[in-house]
Structure formats: structure tokens, C-alpha cells
Amino acid sequence: MRILVVILLGFYSAFSNAEFTYSGKISQIHTGPQYTSSEDEGKVFIETEDAPTGEVACSTNTSFSFAFIGTTEEGKMYLSILLSALAAGRDVVIKSTDDCSIYSNVADLRNLSIH
């Protein structure tokens, strides 16, 4: 019984922590009408200098690492932090969710910080 519990906890840990983590500089931030349609305006895509670590099964895009909606209050804060980091050449730490709901093959941004 104990062996079964250990095995199940191992599977839970492996699958519940699927995320990208990136620590470094942002190379570009993309937004605009070419990235959205009238139904889902405000998408923002983050391009990082290096590839993030970790794995998000749905995220297969090789250009963009993270995406978020920039028109929400939270999105406006994210965009402000990202623009500040890009302008100042500062490092950021970005983590994703394990979902690609904003764009079908780009991981959704979960949180970020500037260093």
C-alpha cells in the first residue's frame, strides 16, 4: 500500500507542475490587430532571449514563449512591468500556467517579476 501511495504522489508531482520558467531578458513584446480578432482583442506575446525551461505540452510555438490579455487590470500591470524591464535591460522571471487558452500553442503567463 505504501508503495502505491509513493507512486501516485510521484505521478501527481510530475503532472501537476507542468510549467515554463524563464529567467533572463525579454527580446520583444508583440501586440496589435495582426495577433487578435474582434472577438478577442488585447493579446500580448512575449519573446524571450533564450528558451524557457520546463514543459507545457500545448506550447509548441518557437517564436513566442508566453501570452496574456493586456486589456485586463492584471494584464495592464504585466505589460507595464515588461515594458519597464525591456526599456531598462533588466532581467525578469516569468512563469506560465500549463494551459494555452489565450493562443493555441503559446503558454499562458501566470506571474512575473523584474530583477
Side-chain angles (χ1 to χ4, degrees):
M1 181 66 168
R2 287 184 182 166
I3 293 174
L4 180 60
V5 170
V6 170
I7 291 171
L8 290 175
L9 286 174
F11 280 122
Y12 177 76
S13 301
F15 292 110
S16 65
N17 295 325
E19 69 179 13
F20 279 154
T21 301
Y22 176 75
S23 181
K25 295 192 180 353
I26 300 164
S27 57
Q28 296 183 27
I29 300 169
H30 302 266
T31 191
Q34 68 270 34
Y35 300 104
T36 63
S37 65
S38 59
E39 301 88 42
D40 58 357
E41 294 179 350
K43 291 180 183 176
V44 179
F45 297 91
I46 304 167
E47 190 175 333
T48 56
E49 286 188 354
D50 300 306
T53 59
E55 184 176 332
V56 177
C58 62
S59 189
T60 57
N61 193 303
T62 57
S63 296
F64 308 125
S65 300
F66 304 94
F68 65 96
I69 301 297
T71 54
T72 65
E73 289 304 312
E74 184 176 32
K76 291 174 186 176
M77 288 187 292
Y78 287 154
L79 188 56
S80 175
I81 293 168
L82 289 166
L83 289 171
S84 296
L86 185 62
R90 301 281 302 271
D91 285 354
V92 295
V93 175
I94 307 173
K95 293 191 178 207
S96 76
T97 66
D98 62 350
D99 196 16
C100 299
S101 65
I102 294 165
Y103 195 78
S104 63
N105 64 352
V106 179
D108 297 351
L109 185 141
R110 184 180 67 193
N111 60 46
L112 70 99
S113 60
I114 187 171
H115 294 266

